């Protein structure tokens, strides 16, 4: 069974940067897509960014476009989220997700999820 582990969260001031990482196990597993979601206190989990393994097409929610960059290292199934110009509204638990089916990737209902890493942005 595929497992995902996030890391890189922390506390920063507004305008600062963080880079989140997510590693899938086993490292030989080739996902069709990987994505980041986040959940703020008292709010539901929402989509942040997604990347397709083949072709590398990316999608972002409008609130992070231009500030966040999703990328991947396909050789070891590692996903990254570079977050720049952070705002207090970015404060949330960030979750990594992965899917082995391209068709399922298009639906947004990914099959595998990590445990989350906390990001806190102070004003």
């Amino acid at each position: 069974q595929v497992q995902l582990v996030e890391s890189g969260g922390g506390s920063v001031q507004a305008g600062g940067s963080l880079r989140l990482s997510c590693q899938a196990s086993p490292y030989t597993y080739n996902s069709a897509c990987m994505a980041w979601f986040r959940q703020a206190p008292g709010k539901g989990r929402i989509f942040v960014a997604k990347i397709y393994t083949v072709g590398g097409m990316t999608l972002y929610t409008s609130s992070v476009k231009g500030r966040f960059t999703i990328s991947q290292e396909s050789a070891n199934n590692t996903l990254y989220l570079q977050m720049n110009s952070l705002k207090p509204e970015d404060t949330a638990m960030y979750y990594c997700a992965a899917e082995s089916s391209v068709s399922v990737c298009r639906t947004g209902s990914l099959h595998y999820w990590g445990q989350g890493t906390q990001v806190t942005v102070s004003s």
Side-chain angles (χ1 to χ4, degrees), residues 3 12 25 27 39 44 60 65 73 77 84 90 107:
Q3 295 182 345
V12 298
S25 298
Y27 70 89
Q39 185 171 18
Y60 299 88
K65 191 172 183 178
E73 293 181 4
N77 275 339
N84 298 326
D90 296 318
T107 71

Side-chain angles (χ1 to χ4, degrees), residues 5-20:
V5 179
E6 302 97 332
S7 62
S11 299
V12 298
Q13 294 182 340
S17 299
L18 284 174
R19 186 176 72 165
L20 306 183

Side-chain angles (χ1 to χ4, degrees), residues 15-72:
S17 299
L18 284 174
R19 186 176 72 165
L20 306 183
S21 299
C22 170
Q23 186 167 37
S25 298
Y27 70 89
T28 53
Y29 173 74
N30 292 323
S31 64
C33 67
M34 298 185 76
W36 290 98
F37 292 74
R38 68 187 183 189
Q39 185 171 18
K43 302 294 181 64
R45 185 177 61 192
I46 62 172
F47 169 79
V48 175
K50 177 169 63 179
I51 185 168
Y52 286 89
T53 303
V54 177
M57 185 182 73
T58 58
L59 291 83
Y60 299 88
T61 189
S62 61
S63 64
V64 308
K65 191 172 183 178
R67 300 187 297 118
F68 291 11
T69 302
I70 188 170
S71 61
Q72 63 189 352

Side-chain angles (χ1 to χ4, degrees), residues 2 24 29-35 50-57 72 74 77 79 97-106 110-112:
V2 176
Y29 173 74
N30 292 323
S31 64
C33 67
M34 298 185 76
K50 177 169 63 179
I51 185 168
Y52 286 89
T53 303
V54 177
M57 185 182 73
Q72 63 189 352
S74 59
N77 275 339
L79 179 73
E99 174 57 49
S100 60
S101 169
V102 173
S103 295
V104 175
C105 285
R106 298 189 182 103
L110 308 190
H111 194 80
Y112 303 105

